[in-house]
């Protein structure tokens, strides 16, 4: 069977993440990003899932002060959309941490490149992360932020890769579980490109082959 002929994106019960499969690439994509091989999660599926998570978050944080902490750069696209599905007053802050650089393998070393602008003691903090791969970045962030004594600390992640986590993590709000493949789009990059794609997809193998390492 052709690799991209299979469609097995399915929604699960509210509250549980959708497991996604491979979707045929929409024809318009080639027009501006010819390096994309397949669409893994469509724009429509992302928006529907974020709307659902926004509802849950609105319900869970009703009457409480909420601070969204975005992990730069990857989470900025998701953060903008998710926040508009949350029907509560809230505030934003951002952290930037080093992850892969230009490569596709995690080093396991996490460095804070930009810290929060404000104190989080006593605040209800919701970390917004694009993708959890090994889990090392998130695990480090949770440990670090916990020492600052927030009233609560939870995680909202767009994607979690299956079977590759090196540390156990409790991700309360998770949109999608994906196979352990490298993906780009909707905030995620390869060599800083592809963040502006409105969907999540995989790259053609020659993109990696041609890359200068
Ligand atoms: P972890 O520490 O291995 O969980 O990696 C977390 C970070 O690596 C994410 O926040 C992303 O910035 C980056 N990352 C992991 N997997 C991917 C991917 O498939 N595409 C793009 N970036 C990724
Ligand atoms: Mg990230």
């Amino acid at each position: 069977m052709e690799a991209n002929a299979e469609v097995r994106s399915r929604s699960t019960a509210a509250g549980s993440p959708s497991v996604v499969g491979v979707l045929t690439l929409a024809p318009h994509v080639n027009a501006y990003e010819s390096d994309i091989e397949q669409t893994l999660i469509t724009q429509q599926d992302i928006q529907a899932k974020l709307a659902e998570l926004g509802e849950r978050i609105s319900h869970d944080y009703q009457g409480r002060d909420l601070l969204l902490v975005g992990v730069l750069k990857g989470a900025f696209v998701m953060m903008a959309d998710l926040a508009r599905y949350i029907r509560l007053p809230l505030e934003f802050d951002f952290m930037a941490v080093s992850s892969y650089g230009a490569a596709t393998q995690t080093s396991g070393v996490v460095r804070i490149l930009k810290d929060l602008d404000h104190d989080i003691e006593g605040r209800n903090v919701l970390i917004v992360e694009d993708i959890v791969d090994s889990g090392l970045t998130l695990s480090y962030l949770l440990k670090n932020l916990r020492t600052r004594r927030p009233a609560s600390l939870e995680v909202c992640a767009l994607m979690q890769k299956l079977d590759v986590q090196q540390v156990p993590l409790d991700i309360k709000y998770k949109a999608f579980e994906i196979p352990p493949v490298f993906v780009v789009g909707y905030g995620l990059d390869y060599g800083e490109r592809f963040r502006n794609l409105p969907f999540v997809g995989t790259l053609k193998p020659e993109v990696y082959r041609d890359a200068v390492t």
Side-chain angles (χ1 to χ4, degrees), residues 71-75 97-101 103-110 128-141 159 161 164-167 169 178-185 187-191 195 200-201 208:
V71 186
L72 295 173
K73 299 175 196 170
V97 294
S98 65
S99 55
Y100 291 169
T104 60
Q105 291 294 307
T106 191
S107 63
V109 179
V110 180
V128 180
E129 175 65 299
D130 52 2
I131 190 164
V132 180
D133 186 351
S134 69
L136 292 170
T137 305
L138 193 54
S139 160
Y140 170 83
L141 272 180
M159 292 174 277
K161 288 187 192 174
V164 284
Q165 248 177 265
Q166 295 176 21
V167 276
L169 286 170
I178 65 166
V181 292
F182 191 80
V183 291
V184 296
L188 289 107
D189 74 307
Y190 175 64
R195 294 192 197 273
V200 170
Y208 304 112

Side-chain angles (χ1 to χ4, degrees), residues 111-165:
R111 215 156 38 95
I112 294 183
L113 305 175
K114 181 215 167 293
D115 208 338
L116 296 174
D117 290 337
H118 302 287
D119 194 5
I120 57 166
E121 184 166 352
R123 310 288 311 266
N124 293 295
V125 175
L126 180 59
I127 298 177
V128 180
E129 175 65 299
D130 52 2
I131 190 164
V132 180
D133 186 351
S134 69
L136 292 170
T137 305
L138 193 54
S139 160
Y140 170 83
L141 272 180
L142 284 167
K143 231 177 275 167
N144 183 295
L145 295 186
R146 228 173 256 133
T147 64
R148 308 182 195 191
R149 307 202 303 166
S152 66
L153 183 61
E154 298 291 351
V155 178
C156 180
L158 181 69
M159 292 174 277
Q160 180 176 21
K161 288 187 192 174
L162 294 170
D163 308 322
V164 284
Q165 248 177 265

